[in-house]
Amino acid sequence: MAVKVGIVSDTHGILRPEVIGTLKNCDYILHAGDFAEEQILDQLRLLRGRLYAVRGNNDFYWAQNLRRRLRFCIEGLEFLLVHDRYDAGSAAAEADVIVYGHTHRYAEEVVDGKLWLNPGSCGRPRFGGDISFAVMEIDGRDYRVTRIPLS
């Protein structure tokens, strides 16, 4: 049975009901930073999925305990979670999947056998982009990513 991973970033104080509706059915939840408000982190902690989160450039004093870079394993896949892609640094060499945010634009590319995934912003649209998040289904070492656009 596939494991579901909800992937969000750049909520900037907004956690939409449709995002919560999807995340509450996920086994894991990843947030690539820029919560902007502690209440968003608290809401995610209440959902059933195991939460992995990093600090973004708009997360201030309340987020001091969140790391800027986080490594973990889900179903045998090595993940690296950062807010800004450039924070991945040499740690990206050890990862199968690098999740990042910051740009507010969805991106999904495989480089040297590694998936680089930005779920986009699911808070406010910025920089002329739309809003979105992603769900990854992992079955063994196989995975499938689905982009979920929001209106």
Side-chain angles (χ1 to χ4, degrees):
M1 182 175 199
V3 169
K4 286 179 74 171
V5 182
I7 305 170
V8 298
S9 186
D10 297 282
T11 46
H12 289 277
I14 298 173
L15 193 54
R16 300 168 193 281
E18 56 265 49
V19 175
I20 293 172
T22 298
L23 295 180
K24 73 180 181 183
N25 295 312
C26 290
D27 302 294
Y28 296 88
I29 299 168
L30 315 184
H31 194 301
D34 273 2
F35 296 88
E37 294 180 11
E38 188 173 14
Q39 302 89 287
I40 302 299
L41 179 59
D42 292 340
Q43 283 182 281
L44 293 174
R45 285 181 172 141
L46 294 175
L47 300 176
R48 80 173 182 96
R50 177 156 184 193
L51 177 64
Y52 291 100
V54 292
R55 183 179 183 178
N57 60 301
N58 285 292
D59 299 324
F60 301 111
Y61 68 92
W62 62 266
Q64 291 177 10
N65 291 329
L66 292 177
R67 295 171 48 192
R68 296 236 180 237
R69 186 175 12 190
L70 189 59
R71 290 178 53 187
F72 52 92
C73 184
I74 299 175
E75 295 295 303
L77 289 175
E78 293 292 329
F79 281 77
L80 175 63
L81 181 63
V82 295
H83 179 61
D84 189 328
R85 178 181 181 131
Y86 298 105
D87 290 336
S90 61
E94 304 296 319
D96 299 307
V97 180
I98 301 96
V99 175
Y100 65 101
H102 189 57
T103 66
H104 292 247
R105 294 180 192 262
Y106 185 89
E108 180 182 340
E109 61 181 329
V110 176
V111 178
D112 296 328
K114 299 173 185 310
L115 173 64
W116 290 79
L117 177 65
N118 184 332
S121 170
C122 70
R124 294 179 179 88
R126 298 176 98 175
F127 313 119
D130 56 2
I131 51 179
S132 66
F133 67 107
V135 172
M136 174 185 271
E137 293 184 61
I138 304 171
D139 191 359
R141 292 213 27 104
D142 296 325
Y143 62 83
R144 185 184 76 185
V145 177
T146 302
R147 178 183 182 266
I148 303 174
L150 300 165
S151 50

